[in-house]
Amino acid sequence: MSRLALSDEILMGIEKPARYIGNEFNMVRKNPDEVDIRFCMCFPDVYEIGMSHLGIQILYDTFNRREDVYCERVYSPWPDLDKVMRVKDIPLFSLETQSPVKDFDFLGITLQYEMCYTNILQVLELSQIPIYANERDMDAPIVIGGGPCSYNPEPIADFFDAFYIGEGETRYDEVFECYKRMKTSGCSREELLHELSKIPGIYVPSMYKCTYNDDGTLALFEPIHDDVPKTVTKEVVMDFNDVHYPEKPLVPFIQVTQDRVTLEIMRGCIRGCRFCQAGMIYRPTRQKDVKLIEDYALKMISSTGHEEISLSSLSSSDYGCLKEFTYFLIEEMGNQHVNISLPSLRIDAFSLDVMKKVQDIKKSSLTFAPEAGTQRLRDVINKGLTEEVILNGAMQAFYGGWNKVKFYFMLGLPTETMEDAEGIPALCERVAKAYYDIPKDQRNGKISITASSSFFVPKPFTPFQWAAMLDPETYIERAHHVKDTFRQQLNARSLRYTYHESYVSVLEGVFARGDRRLSKVIYDAYKSGCIFDAWTDFFDNDKWMEAFEKNGIVKEFYTTRERSEDELFPWDFIDIGVTKNFLLSEWKKAKQEIVTPNCREKCSGCGAAKFGGGVCFERQKKD
Amino acid sequence: MSEETYKIRIKYVKSGVLKYIGHLDLMRFFQKAFKRAGVDVAYSQGFSPHQLMSFAAPLALGVTSEGEYFDAQMNSLVSSEEYVRILNEQMVDGVYVKNVILLPEKAKKAMSIVAASDYIVSFKDDDDLNYQFVRDLNDIDNKESQKKSDYNKIIAVVPQLLKKDAIEVFRKTKKNEKVEDIKKGIYKLELREDKIYMFLATGSEYNLKPESVIEALCNEAGVPYNKFDYQIHRIETYYKNEKGQLASLLETGTKITDPMHN
Ligand code: SF4
C-alpha cells in the first residue's frame, strides 16, 4: 500500500490534498533502491499547472524507460502547505515514493516562464537543498534546469549546477552515464560538474566567468578551463519520428489545466514573427508523420481514458497533413465520444468546417492574433496576417453563423506610434461594420468583439533582442488611449477592450534579457516573501521594487535600453543555430518595414539548416 | 440516447490514499476507467457528451468505505465477473470494484433510494498510511495519550447515548446553524471491541452524518470534538425494500451471468 509523507491532519487541513499524494493512473512505480539514479522532475508551479505540461510527461516517460533510472515528480506546494512545512520542518518530497527530494541524485527543474523564479527558490529551500549552487556539497542533488527560459539562464545561474540547453530527448543518456561513472570514481562535486560541462548541450554556470564594462554591459564571458566549450549548442531532435512520446501519460485525479490528451504534431514554426522567441529557438520546423500521430492519438486515448484531445504546435495551420489528420480525428474521436479541442487555426473554409463539426457555434468564437493594429507595424514584426485576410475569414464565418470574435494584440512594439495603437480599435470597428453590412436575415444577432493587448517584452534570440522595451507609464497611457478610442467607435457597444497590467511584464522584461547580477534580486525578493509571482493574488510588486533598490540594480538598464549592434549579450554563448547575424539583419529589416518570407516560401538562410533536417530540407526532398 | 440501454450498479471500495480524493474527482476517475476498459457505456447527446453515471451517497473527504455505489447506463453488457475483472485492471491503489449488478428496467437511481448506511469509527492512530519525516516525539506522545484518554471517555458513553430522550447537536444547514435532535437518525449505536459501530439514516428523507454522532458522543463525554481524531469507515449502503426492511443496495439487482440473454 502507498504511504504518504504528510500526516492525515495536515492533508485534511489544506486545500486539495490530492496535489500531494501521487498514485495517479499510469504513475511509474519502481524500487528506488534498485536503480542507479533517482531523478526528481519539478515544475515550479502548482500541481494543476505542472501536470498539464507536455514536456515533463515526455521526459518522465523517456527517463523511466531506462531501467537504471527512476524519475519521480514534485510541484510547488501551495502557500497553505508551504506554511505548514516550514513550521513543522518537513522536507519537500516526491509524489511517487513520497521521499525527500534532497535524497535524489538529480533535481530537474523546467523553466517555462520568468515569473516562476521565486518558486524555484521555494522548492530548493523546502527541499532543504542550499539555494546557491556553490554552497552545495556532494550529498545535494545536481540541480539542472531546462526549458525555454534556459535560453537565457543567467539571472538564475547562481542557483543551478547545470542547465540543459535545448530539447531534452537527446543528451540525458550521456548525462546519466557520466554521472554514474563519476559517482563511482569518488570525485568531488566540482569535478563532476566539470565533466558534465563537456557534454554537448550542457551548460555549467560555475565553469564560466564574466566581467562587465563601466557602462554595465557585458565585457567578457568565457570558460574558466580550456576543456570547457566556449559556446553551448542547443540540442535538437532531428529524427522527429523516432523519438519517445509518452503513450501512457499520467492521469491526474483532480481537474488540471489541461485535462486531456495532448498530441504534439510539429515542433518549431516557419513564420518568423520577429517578436517570437519560440519561433527562433525551435528552428528548424519539424513535423511528425501523420500515420504516427494517428496511431498515438488512438493509443493515448485508450491508455488514459481522457475525453478530450488537443494538438500542440506553434502554428497548427502549417502542419502539412492537417486536413487529413483533423478529419481522421473527427471520425475516430467522434465514435469514442472524445471531444476535440482545436488549436487556433487560420480561418478559412476548412477550419470553419472543422469548427462547425466539433464546437457549438453559439458558444465558440473566432480568434485572430494580428498582434499589431496597422499593416505598417505588422510588417515591422513580420506578422503575415493582413486586414484583407482577417475580413475575408471573418465574413465567411459570419455567414456560417458565428458572431463572436477575439483579437489578440501587443502594445509597445518597436517603432510603434499612436497611429498604430489607434489601428487596434479601427480594425475591430471595420470587422463590426462588415458584420452589420450583412443583411439582417443572414447574420446571427449582435456581434461581440473582444480585443486584448499585452505589454510587449523583447526576448533573447529574437530580432528584437536589441530593442528597447516601452516604459510602463507610456504603455499604460497608450492603453488608455486605445480604450478611449474604442469608446468613440460607431459600434462601440459591440466592442470590448482589455489590456494587461504593466508590472509583471516589466519584471519579465528584466529577467528575459538579464544577467547574473540579478540572482541577488531574486533571492531577496523571495526572502521578503515573493512566491507564486505568476498568480495575481500573490504578486507583490512593492517587494520586488525593494529588492532591486537594495541591490542597487536599475531595471531600466535591462528593459528600456536599446542595445547597440555590437553589444555582447549574456546569452550569446548559446548557439541556437539561427545566427546573431541573421537576427541582426532581421532587426534592420524590421526598422525598414521589410517583411521576410516564411521558410516554405523561401529560405532566408537563418543558420538553422546546420542541424541537417526539418523544413530546411523539405524542398530538396521533393525535387 | 439511441435505443434501449441497461442500468447497472457498481459496488466499490475506497480506501488508503484514495480517501483524499473527493467524490466528483472519483467520478471522473471512474469515467476514465470505463473508457480505458472499453466498456460500452451510454453517453448523453450534444457537443460535449458525457457518460451517464451517478453516485449513490457521496462520501466526505477523509472517509473510507467498503460499500460505495454508483449507477451507469450501458448500451450492451458483459457478465458481472467480466466487469469486475476488466474494471479492476484500470484501478489504482485504494480503489477497486467488488460487484456489478443489473437493475430492473424501471429501477430508480441509487441516489434517490438510499435510506441508511453503517459505519465503523475508530481512534485515528498515526496509522501506517501517513508518516512524518520529522516529529517531536515528546510532543506527539503527550498529544496522543491525551487523545487516547478522550477516546476512552467517548467509548464509555456509547451504551448510554441512545437511552437519552433527545440527542442534541448543532447542525449547519444552508441557511443557519441550529440545535437538532438527531436521535431519530440513529438506528443502532454500539461498541465493537474498541471501535464504535453506528447505523444511520442516509439519503434524501433524513441524512445523518457520522460526524454528528461523534460530536454528540463528545458532548456527552465532555471532551472536545476534533474531527481529525477519528477515522470513519462506511461498511455498507442500504435502501428500503418492498417489505420496508433496510437491505444492502446490492439486492436491488441481479448478477449478470449470461449477458446475451439479458
Ligand atoms: S535555414 Fe531557412 S528554411 Fe531553415 S529554418 Fe532557417 S530560414 Fe527556415
Side-chain angles (χ1 to χ4, degrees):
Chain A
M1 195 169 77
S2 316
R3 300 209 339 147
L4 298 174
L6 298 172
S7 74
D8 192 65
E9 189 160 357
I10 295 175
L11 284 165
M12 290 302 292
I14 54 175
E15 232 178 90
K16 301 192 189 172
R19 286 168 174 162
Y20 312 105
I21 63 171
N23 197 38
E24 302 96 333
F25 192 76
N26 286 335
M27 184 181 94
V28 176
R29 284 178 198 277
K30 291 185 186 183
N31 181 349
D33 297 332
E34 283 167 10
V35 296
D36 296 320
I37 294 173
R38 297 187 66 196
F39 194 106
C40 194
M41 185 67 81
C42 169
F43 190 110
D45 207 321
V46 74
Y47 179 86
E48 293 92 308
I49 305 272
M51 274 297 278
S52 305
H53 186 246
L54 178 63
I56 287 203
Q57 295 256 14
I58 293 180
L59 293 181
Y60 183 77
D61 176 71
T62 310
F63 293 176
N64 277 322
R65 280 175 201 238
R66 284 182 67 119
E67 264 182 28
D68 56 349
V69 176
Y70 186 12
C71 177
E72 307 186 36
R73 293 159 298 143
V74 68
Y75 304 99
S76 305
W78 194 244
D80 58 353
L81 179 61
D82 175 283
K83 273 196 207 97
V84 178
M85 293 178 78
R86 285 171 202 272
V87 171
K88 304 210 172 198
D89 207 20
I90 302 170
L92 186 60
F93 52 89
S94 66
L95 294 187
E96 275 75 4
T97 57
Q98 302 268 309
S99 53
V101 173
K102 63 180 170 191
D103 296 343
F104 281 67
D105 297 290
F106 286 91
L107 170 59
I109 302 180
T110 182
L111 309 164
Q112 298 294 319
Y113 30 85
E114 290 86 3
M115 298 318 286
C116 74
Y117 288 172
T118 54
N119 279 33
I120 297 171
L121 305 201
Q122 178 215 23
V123 165
L124 290 170
E125 191 169 58
L126 289 180
S127 299
Q128 303 172 357
I129 297 169
I131 291 182
Y132 281 104
N134 62 12
E135 290 166 6
R136 289 173 203 144
D137 59 18
M138 214 39 197
D139 289 339
I142 302 292
V143 180
I144 183 165
C149 292
S150 59
Y151 285 90
N152 177 21
E154 290 305 274
I156 45 172
D158 288 351
F159 311 125
F160 282 83
D161 297 300
F163 290 93
Y164 183 114
I165 313 289
E167 297 168 0
E169 291 104 326
T170 53
R171 289 288 172 183
Y172 266 109
D173 283 334
E174 275 168 69
V175 172
F176 294 148
E177 293 310 329
C178 173
Y179 179 80
K180 273 163 63 173
R181 203 176 57 237
M182 295 300 285
K183 204 171 133 191
T184 45
S185 79
C187 68
S188 70
R189 192 172 181 93
E190 196 188 330
E191 284 163 339
L192 168 62
L193 291 174
H194 191 164
E195 271 318 288
L196 286 176
S197 75
K198 296 178 197 163
I199 300 176
I202 302 299
Y203 164 54
V204 175
S206 59
M207 296 291 139
Y208 297 78
K209 64 162 189 261
C210 44
T211 56
Y212 300 91
N213 296 311
D214 292 341
D215 64 1
T217 56
L218 194 61
L220 179 118
F221 185 97
E222 59 178 24
I224 56 172
H225 301 293
D226 290 341
D227 56 355
V228 174
K230 280 197 171 59
T231 52
V232 180
T233 304
K234 79 165 182 199
E235 278 302 308
V236 43
V237 176
M238 287 321 295
D239 196 350
F240 200 48
N241 285 320
D242 191 34
V243 62
H244 288 322
Y245 199 72
E247 287 176 18
K248 295 180 176 174
L250 290 145
V251 186
F253 289 108
I254 52 173
Q255 198 132 26
V256 298
T257 323
Q258 309 266 335
D259 191 22
R260 53 179 84 106
V261 165
T262 309
L263 208 54
E264 185 184 30
I265 58 176
M266 187 166 68
R267 207 173 278 182
C269 176
I270 58 169
R271 302 266 144 193
C273 297
R274 291 179 179 133
F275 55 84
C276 178
Q277 187 190 42
M280 293 297 158
I281 59 179
Y282 295 118
R283 283 189 175 209
T285 305
R286 290 141 288 155
Q287 7 188 36
K288 280 211 165 121
D289 180 72
V290 64
K291 287 282 165 273
L292 191 75
I293 54 175
E294 286 176 2
D295 187 43
Y296 272 124
L298 298 176
K299 275 189 188 147
M300 289 169 76
I301 286 294
S302 73
S303 71
T304 59
H306 278 311
E307 304 203 301
E308 188 168 317
I309 188 164
S310 73
L311 312 185
S312 156
S313 79
L314 290 166
S315 164
S316 298
S317 291
D318 294 324
Y319 177 63
C321 306
L322 186 70
K323 255 187 206 166
E324 184 184 341
F325 182 59
T326 316
Y327 287 123
F328 166 85
L329 277 188
I330 292 177
E331 173 83 21
E332 285 294 325
M333 297 298 128
N335 291 338
Q336 301 192 33
H337 305 282
V338 172
N339 300 319
I340 301 166
S341 137
L342 285 180
S344 58
L345 296 172
R346 198 166 41 236
I347 305 295
D348 56 19
F350 158 70
S351 60
L352 289 173
D353 176 55
V354 171
M355 283 161 72
K356 208 173 266 170
K357 287 192 168 117
V358 307
Q359 297 169 346
D360 188 347
I361 296 182
K362 280 188 243 96
K363 286 182 195 145
S364 67
S365 46
L366 307 170
T367 307
F368 295 99
E371 310 292 358
T374 59
Q375 194 56 48
R376 186 201 74 79
L377 193 52
R378 286 194 291 272
D379 289 346
V380 169
I381 62 176
N382 206 42
K383 184 89 202 184
L385 195 58
T386 62
E387 183 160 332
E388 198 191 332
V389 170
I390 294 173
L391 279 169
N392 280 341
M395 285 306 268
Q396 279 184 57
F398 295 155
Y399 277 109
W402 273 270
N403 62 4
K404 287 191 196 67
V405 188
K406 269 190 206 151
F407 280 110
Y408 292 101
F409 295 98
M410 288 192 276
L411 272 181
L413 288 161
T415 77
E416 182 181 276
T417 61
M418 257 326 172
E419 201 187 330
D420 295 314
E422 286 164 359
I424 294 175
L427 175 61
C428 296
E429 170 65 21
R430 282 195 288 279
V431 173
K433 184 171 178 307
Y435 181 81
Y436 287 115
D437 285 346
I438 299 175
K440 229 180 181 161
D441 57 330
Q442 289 171 52
R443 62 183 201 229
N444 189 9
K446 279 193 190 130
I447 191 173
S448 119
I449 299 181
T450 322
S452 70
S453 344
S454 59
F455 186 1
F456 169 65
V457 177
K459 296 271 170 131
F461 292 114
T462 67
F464 291 162
Q465 62 180 353
W466 286 274
M469 185 172 168
L470 199 63
D471 65 276
E473 292 76 25
T474 316
Y475 162 77
I476 291 292
E477 248 168 59
R478 228 171 257 185
H480 284 167
H481 181 68
V482 171
K483 190 144 193 141
D484 290 341
T485 317
F486 261 100
R487 288 204 193 98
Q488 292 154 21
Q489 305 301 316
L490 269 178
N491 289 299
R493 296 239 295 303
S494 305
L495 312 177
R496 239 174 62 86
Y497 175 69
T498 56
Y499 56 88
H500 294 198
E501 277 302 338
S502 62
Y503 309 114
V504 172
S505 306
V506 170
L507 283 185
E508 282 170 356
V510 172
F511 296 126
R513 293 185 292 173
D515 54 40
R516 283 192 186 184
R517 292 170 294 190
L518 291 170
S519 63
K520 295 196 299 296
V521 177
I522 298 169
Y523 183 85
D524 286 337
Y526 168 70
K527 281 293 176 183
S528 68
C530 289
I531 191 178
F532 284 96
D533 295 304
W535 297 71
T536 354
D537 288 357
F538 296 109
F539 180 69
D540 188 339
N541 197 51
D542 294 344
K543 286 195 179 126
W544 275 103
M545 294 307 109
E546 278 163 33
F548 278 105
E549 191 136 331
K550 189 174 157 201
N551 289 288
I553 288 192
V554 182
K555 298 188 302 293
E556 288 70 23
F557 173 79
Y558 299 99
T559 52
T560 56
R561 181 175 63 91
E562 178 166 339
R563 276 69 163 166
S564 71
E565 287 173 9
D566 57 0
E567 182 170 331
L568 177 66
F569 294 137
W571 54 92
D572 277 349
F573 73 94
I574 296 173
D575 175 7
I576 63 159
V578 177
T579 60
K580 196 173 181 182
N581 260 338
F582 172 77
L583 295 175
L584 189 60
S585 76
E586 281 292 290
W587 173 224
K588 290 177 183 161
K589 280 166 80 181
K591 290 192 272 195
Q592 294 160 28
E593 300 163 19
I594 301 173
V595 297
T596 297
N598 74 47
C599 296
R600 287 219 178 98
E601 288 162 358
K602 179 178 174 291
C603 168
S604 309
C606 74
K610 79 170 190 182
F611 296 113
V615 66
C616 322
F617 294 87
E618 264 174 20
R619 196 152 314 171
Q620 283 90 321
K621 257 186 262 162
K622 269 180 216 146
D623 295 343
Chain B
M1 224 165 318
S2 52
E3 313 85 56
E4 180 189 8
T5 59
Y6 304 93
K7 290 180 191 164
I8 60 169
R9 185 156 290 163
I10 293 98
K11 180 177 186 180
Y12 67 96
V13 173
K14 184 185 181 190
S15 64
V17 302
L18 258 286
K19 73 180 188 184
Y20 301 110
I21 304 299
H23 91 274
L24 285 176
D25 291 326
L26 196 64
M27 172 127 98
R28 290 169 357 96
F29 172 83
F30 273 116
Q31 283 167 345
K32 290 178 183 186
F34 266 45
K35 189 163 214 95
R36 292 193 295 264
V39 296
D40 193 7
V41 59
Y43 279 79
S44 67
Q45 300 284 302
F47 269 105
S48 35
H50 54 269
Q51 294 177 20
L52 297 165
M53 204 181 254
S54 71
F55 278 68
L59 275 187
L61 212 65
V63 179
T64 56
S65 172
E66 59 196 274
E68 289 306 286
Y69 293 87
F70 68 90
D71 296 350
Q73 288 185 40
M74 314 301 283
N75 292 317
S76 66
L77 296 171
V78 298
S79 74
S80 294
E81 269 123 29
E82 183 68 357
Y83 273 128
V84 171
R85 189 184 66 80
I86 58 179
L87 288 174
N88 280 337
E89 279 172 6
Q90 306 303 331
M91 296 295 112
V92 293
D93 216 8
V95 55
Y96 69 91
V97 172
K98 271 171 109 171
N99 303 86
V100 176
I101 53 171
L102 178 68
L103 305 178
E105 225 176 289
K106 297 231 166 64
K108 286 189 190 148
K109 280 186 177 171
M111 199 190 312
S112 64
I113 59 166
V114 168
S117 329
D118 54 354
Y119 304 88
I120 277 283
V121 177
S122 55
F123 176 65
K124 204 185 272 171
D125 276 314
D126 209 5
D127 55 19
D128 45 27
L129 180 59
N130 311 84
Y131 64 88
Q132 279 169 282
F133 299 119
V134 195
R135 28 150 93 205
D136 180 344
L137 284 176
N138 278 330
D139 180 46
I140 288 181
D141 282 351
N142 287 337
K143 245 165 71 189
E144 299 276 284
S145 61
Q146 178 60 43
K147 283 181 183 172
K148 190 90 208 178
S149 91
D150 284 355
Y151 183 70
N152 288 332
K153 286 185 199 155
I154 292 169
I155 285 183
V157 298
V158 166
Q160 288 154 225
L161 194 73
L162 277 186
K163 291 185 188 133
K164 297 180 61 163
D165 294 337
I167 304 169
E168 290 188 331
V169 288
F170 268 112
R171 284 190 82 187
K172 264 204 189 104
T173 63
K174 271 177 202 130
K175 282 176 220 128
N176 52 3
E177 239 180 79
K178 56 169 191 197
V179 183
E180 191 180 315
D181 180 7
I182 58 168
K183 188 172 175 181
K184 65 169 175 178
I186 308 178
Y187 302 147
K188 232 184 235 171
L189 177 67
E190 61 195 36
L191 278 178
R192 297 210 171 155
E193 288 169 17
D194 62 342
K195 293 179 178 150
I196 308 163
Y197 172 83
M198 46 184 85
F199 197 162
L200 310 177
T202 311
S204 46
E205 246 169 68
Y206 189 69
N207 195 50
L208 181 58
K209 289 186 178 154
E211 289 89 343
S212 300
V213 181
I214 303 172
E215 199 182 338
L217 287 167
C218 288
N219 293 346
E220 187 66 16
V223 301
Y225 169 60
N226 175 7
K227 62 177 177 172
F228 296 130
D229 292 349
Y230 311 94
Q231 179 60 50
I232 302 170
H233 178 77
R234 185 186 270 165
I235 302 169
E236 183 59 284
T237 314
Y238 303 86
Y239 78 115
K240 217 167 249 168
N241 65 17
E242 313 76 50
K243 294 178 203 143
Q245 297 159 329
L246 289 172
S248 152
L249 273 184
L250 211 51
E251 290 172 29
T252 50
T254 50
K255 194 169 162 189
I256 313 165
T257 43
D258 190 351
M260 297 313 286
H261 291 104
N262 274 302

